[in-house]
Amino acid sequence: MARPRKFKPEAVVEKAMEVFWTKGYAGTTPQELGERMGLGRGSLYNTFDSKHGLFEHALRHYLEHESVKLLALLKQPGSARQRLRGLMLAIIRVDLADPERRGCMAINTAIELAGRDEAATKLAARMFDQTEAAFLAVIEEGQRTGELAASLDAGALASLLLNTLTGLRVLGKTAQDATRLERIVDTVLKVF
């Protein structure tokens, strides 16, 4: 008879997410995961099947919790331009304040595993699609109110912002301060 679990899977997935986010998939060992999660290898594999299975759970957790927190900034009061700029500047602050400079787990995953790991690639792409859709909604709102130029292709602008955000998160891993990153944000938003 199997013993009942004495841990909450959601809590251990969050701990695993922190390890994978910091070290990447390849850089994380099952031993480190077990130590951080407070689980033995048997419990880890009985619950998640494999290191990769746990990684998928951790990446899904990141998409459903961490990225959602940032995108919620686009729903704050203010003009479309203010909200777009506010999100970008908030991300710059978060990334520069992180002593480990982890950046974005989905971007890190895409850089490390895209094209070699179908499940991880799809999960990262899902986050990129969600982010672009959130940008598109704000841009279209700004175009309807007349704040942003209606003559510009809203889809193309949303893609430009997604690309800018991705670049900011990568540059943020090595930036000494926010000057260059803020300049990028302000220059891109002039296009609108």
Side-chain angles (χ1 to χ4, degrees):
M1 181 180 226
R3 293 187 323 194
R5 286 187 192 146
K6 294 183 180 180
F7 62 89
K8 295 179 181 176
E10 181 79 6
V12 297
V13 166
E14 186 164 344
K15 289 177 182 177
M17 177 195 74
E18 294 292 337
V19 179
F20 284 124
W21 190 1
T22 301
K23 296 184 146 230
Y25 178 74
T28 300
T29 67
Q31 180 179 344
E32 289 170 312
L33 289 167
E35 288 171 6
R36 178 65 190 249
M37 295 163 46
L39 296 178
R41 272 187 133 163
S43 294
L44 191 151
Y45 287 111
N46 286 336
T47 305
F48 301 104
D49 295 324
S50 65
K51 173 184 163 184
H52 191 272
L54 177 56
F55 179 72
E56 286 182 40
H57 281 278
L59 187 54
R60 262 191 223 95
H61 182 85
Y62 179 86
L63 300 178
E64 293 165 1
H65 295 90
E66 298 301 317
S67 67
V68 169
K69 289 177 196 173
L70 288 173
L71 291 179
L73 296 173
L74 291 176
K75 296 179 181 175
Q76 298 293 315
S79 70
R81 187 180 310 278
Q82 288 170 334
R83 286 181 284 149
L84 293 169
R85 185 173 190 273
L87 171 68
M88 300 283 197
L89 296 181
I91 286 172
I92 291 168
R93 282 191 304 274
V94 166
D95 285 351
L96 294 183
D98 181 2
E100 297 181 80
R101 297 294 178 101
R102 296 176 300 175
C104 170
M105 187 175 175
I107 293 169
N108 298 346
T109 297
I111 291 168
E112 181 183 7
L113 299 173
R116 294 180 291 144
D117 183 323
E118 184 177 350
T121 300
K122 284 181 181 178
L123 285 169
R126 188 173 104 197
M127 185 186 147
F128 301 150
D129 291 345
Q130 288 173 346
T131 302
E132 188 170 359
F135 285 147
L136 180 62
V138 174
I139 292 164
E140 287 175 337
E141 177 188 329
Q143 288 178 327
R144 280 192 303 277
T145 63
E147 179 194 352
L148 303 178
S151 61
L152 298 174
D153 180 335
L157 293 174
S159 295
L160 174 64
L161 285 180
L162 175 65
N163 188 60
T164 302
L165 179 64
T166 302
L168 289 172
R169 303 231 54 192
V170 173
L171 287 172
K173 288 176 161 283
T174 62
Q176 297 302 308
D177 62 46
T179 305
R180 174 204 259 172
L181 305 175
E182 290 173 354
R183 189 174 62 229
I184 292 167
V185 170
D186 291 335
T187 301
V188 167
L189 289 176
K190 286 179 184 174
V191 170
F192 294 55

